[in-house]
Amino acid sequence: MKIHLRTVRLELAEPLRISRSTMTARDAVWLGVEHEGVTGYGEAVSSVYYGLDADTLVRLISAVPLERFADPESALRALPCGGVPAAVTAAVESALLDLLGKRDGVPVHRLVGTPTSFPVPTARTIGITSLAHAAAEARRLAASGFEILKVKAGSSDSEDDVERVRVIRDAAPRMRLLLDPNGAWSVAEAERLLPRFAALGVEAVEQPLTPGDPDALGALAEKSPLPVIADEDAVSLADVRRLAGRVQGVNVKLAKCGGVHAALRIAEAIEGSGTDLMLGCLTASTLGLAPAVHLADRARWTDLDGHLLLAHDPWHGIGGADGFVQASTRPGLGVEEVAAHEDVA
């Protein structure tokens, strides 16, 4: 098998501010794996939080010895890639699944055990922004067909967060609301704020506490008026096993857990524990989101809007602009590139 890499810049439609940073763009590395005239694709995106820039991703992906394998099946059996970040394993697996599906004429969701695909409502993120802009976005997204909004919190003034949720609730009264402080609060702050957000009809809260103390997160979840979903504290299968039954949900991002099969192992580990699955994502193109969309039937909460935050999505094939994503019935990931880009890696 042969590989080729391409690095592109993904610009956001508007800056996305969360509790720890503001993002305006990120780099994506596209991996193509070719075998017997068929090419499968995967994407890894840069992340300051995970310490991965584009050059590092290119170097790490290039070091994966895919050329040693006779076919995509044998390469898939060799995953995860030892000693590399989960984002690299996820991108390699994506390309191999896309290749295998295209070769056999089968969509990825059938390869992993889901016979049919159907539209799934996805959350749409509203960052830490002005009250007027938040309200306008809520009205616009409700009119477009969205049923779920994820509101970022963790600004320096917690009253600003409360008011943002309040104006969003007023602007879109039928919208389901999720809250995400990205680990910005102490235990005392969370205990003070969560009842106020519950009174505003928020459905669940992601990672309210600073990551690194899963016992504190579990203790908060036990008495929280809102379901608590672990994110930054739920990276690996081992992390999730420690939290299963102690929190109400875990946010599984393929780029942090290691791909489709790693996510399936997590889903199996939490089954029957009282902890539900959320499928999340990083800001990425449709190519990067597609593998998770093929798993969307397994999740209680779906937050797969990373491609919708871009000024221009260079791939298409999973929808989302109307508030619903759906895995394609075409072979492989079922996505296509919109326009050619220059090779820079």
Side-chain angles (χ1 to χ4, degrees), residues 52 59-61 63-65 79-90 92 258:
L52 296 171
R59 175 175 56 80
L60 292 172
I61 295 172
V64 178
L79 294 178
C81 311
V84 302
V88 171
T89 298
V92 171

Side-chain angles (χ1 to χ4, degrees), residues 70-94:
D71 50 50
E73 292 95 333
S74 58
L76 280 168
R77 285 193 296 270
L79 294 178
C81 311
V84 302
V88 171
T89 298
V92 171
E93 182 198 52
S94 171

Side-chain angles (χ1 to χ4, degrees), residues 146-162:
F146 284 84
E147 299 178 354
I148 313 167
L149 293 179
K150 183 164 85 168
V151 185
K152 292 292 187 178
S155 61
S156 57
D157 182 357
S158 60
E159 290 303 315
D160 178 60
D161 292 334
V162 174

Side-chain angles (χ1 to χ4, degrees), residues 89-113:
T89 298
V92 171
E93 182 198 52
S94 171
L96 292 170
L97 287 171
D98 191 34
L99 172 58
L100 184 60
K102 287 174 176 175
R103 188 200 66 187
D104 294 348
V106 176
V108 165
H109 61 82
R110 285 182 57 191
L111 291 176
V112 297

Side-chain angles (χ1 to χ4, degrees), residues 25-338:
R26 75 186 333 152
D27 293 321
V29 177
W30 295 344
L31 164 66
V33 179
E34 182 182 350
H35 179 63
E36 295 181 349
V38 181
T39 302
Y41 294 95
E43 176 181 271
V45 293
S46 60
S47 169
V48 173
Y49 184 77
Y50 292 111
L52 296 171
D53 59 23
D55 289 342
T56 300
L57 288 169
V58 167
R59 175 175 56 80
L60 292 172
I61 295 172
S62 299
V64 178
L66 291 174
E67 68 282 353
R68 297 182 185 176
F69 298 97
D71 50 50
E73 292 95 333
S74 58
L76 280 168
R77 285 193 296 270
L79 294 178
C81 311
V84 302
V88 171
T89 298
V92 171
E93 182 198 52
S94 171
L96 292 170
L97 287 171
D98 191 34
L99 172 58
L100 184 60
K102 287 174 176 175
R103 188 200 66 187
D104 294 348
V106 176
V108 165
H109 61 82
R110 285 182 57 191
L111 291 176
V112 297
T114 302
T116 59
S117 72
F118 50 88
V120 176
T122 179
R124 176 66 158 78
T125 299
I126 294 180
I128 298 174
T129 186
S130 71
L131 302 184
H133 184 62
E137 277 292 279
R139 284 190 291 269
R140 180 183 71 82
L141 292 167
S144 298
F146 284 84
E147 299 178 354
I148 313 167
L149 293 179
K150 183 164 85 168
V151 185
K152 292 292 187 178
S155 61
S156 57
D157 182 357
S158 60
E159 290 303 315
D160 178 60
D161 292 334
V162 174
E163 284 305 305
R164 189 177 313 102
V165 171
R166 192 187 310 279
V167 300
I168 288 171
R169 169 57 72 212
D170 290 343
R174 297 181 181 178
M175 195 76 75
R176 295 167 56 194
L177 299 182
L178 305 174
L179 188 71
D180 186 8
N182 288 106
W185 295 337
S186 66
V187 172
E189 287 172 319
E191 290 176 342
R192 176 174 59 85
L193 291 169
L194 288 179
R196 299 182 66 185
F197 287 113
L200 290 170
V202 171
E203 180 175 321
V205 59
E206 280 186 67
Q207 194 68 42
L209 303 183
T210 303
D213 190 349
D215 289 335
L217 191 67
L220 177 69
E222 185 176 355
K223 56 188 175 183
S224 170
L226 293 176
V228 171
I229 304 168
D231 183 358
E232 286 88 344
D233 270 326
V235 176
S236 67
L237 178 59
D239 293 336
V240 171
R241 284 177 170 156
R242 281 193 292 269
L243 286 165
R246 303 181 65 196
V247 295
Q248 287 78 29
V250 290
N251 185 340
V252 172
K253 299 182 176 85
L254 303 192
K256 72 172 181 176
C257 76
V260 167
H261 287 97
L264 290 173
R265 288 189 289 271
I266 288 174
E268 181 180 3
I270 63 175
E271 189 172 358
S273 70
T275 297
D276 291 316
L277 182 69
M278 179 181 198
L279 276 175
C281 64
L282 302 180
T283 303
S285 77
T286 281
L287 174 60
L289 272 287
V293 175
H294 282 269
L295 301 178
D297 63 297
R298 292 163 167 86
R300 175 179 172 183
W301 299 281
T302 302
D303 178 26
L304 299 176
D305 69 335
H307 61 308
L308 303 177
L309 304 180
L310 302 179
H312 168 68
D313 183 357
W315 295 76
H316 68 93
I318 59 173
D322 62 350
F324 291 80
V325 292
Q326 182 172 9
S328 173
T329 58
R330 295 191 299 271
L333 293 174
V335 301
E336 296 177 337
E337 189 178 356
V338 175

